[in-house]
Amino acid sequence: MTDSPSPSVSVSLSEPINVSTVLDRAGIDYVTVHDQRLLAIYHTGIFNVTTEPESVSNARTLEIECWEAPLPSRSDERSLQELLEDFAAVFDAGDES
C-alpha cells in the first residue's frame, strides 16, 4: 500500500457551468454533498468535485480528486490519471454548450 496522494486535476472553464447538469447530460451518477461539492461515480471510481468559491450550479473552476480507484475490471487498462483526465474532459465538453 502506498502513501502517495490521490491523483487530482484542476479544470478552468471559459464560462460558468452547472456541474450537475453536465453530469446529467453525460449520464454520470453523482451525489451532492453541499453547495460547493459533489461526489461522482465514473467507471466505478469515486471522484470528489469541489467548486470553491463558486457553487456547483455556477462554477468556473473545478478541483477533481480520485477518492477511490475504479474496479480493475472497469478500468479498461487505463491508468488512474488517464481516467481522471477522461472524467475532467466531460466538463470541457459541457463548457462548449
Side-chain angles (χ1 to χ4, degrees):
M1 188 153 149
T2 70
D3 289 329
S4 61
S6 299
S8 63
V9 66
S10 296
V11 177
S12 295
L13 305 165
S14 59
E15 297 289 328
I17 63 165
N18 183 318
V19 176
S20 300
T21 300
V22 171
L23 293 174
D24 285 338
R25 281 190 211 140
I28 297 173
D29 292 327
Y30 64 91
V31 175
T32 301
V33 177
H34 59 69
D35 200 36
Q36 297 169 323
R37 180 173 163 220
L38 57 82
L39 299 175
I41 301 168
Y42 182 70
H43 288 272
T44 71
I46 300 174
F47 294 85
N48 180 47
V49 180
T50 56
T51 60
E52 293 183 57
E54 302 100 358
S55 72
V56 295
S57 63
N58 194 35
R60 280 185 167 259
T61 58
L62 309 172
E63 292 295 326
I64 304 170
E65 178 184 14
C66 182
W67 272 15
E68 186 171 319
L71 298 172
S73 62
R74 296 297 302 236
S75 67
D76 301 329
E77 298 183 18
R78 290 180 281 174
S79 72
L80 193 51
Q81 188 64 39
E82 289 171 315
L83 286 170
L84 179 62
E85 290 168 6
D86 287 349
F87 177 67
V90 168
F91 299 102
D92 289 335
D95 187 34
E96 296 170 2
S97 11

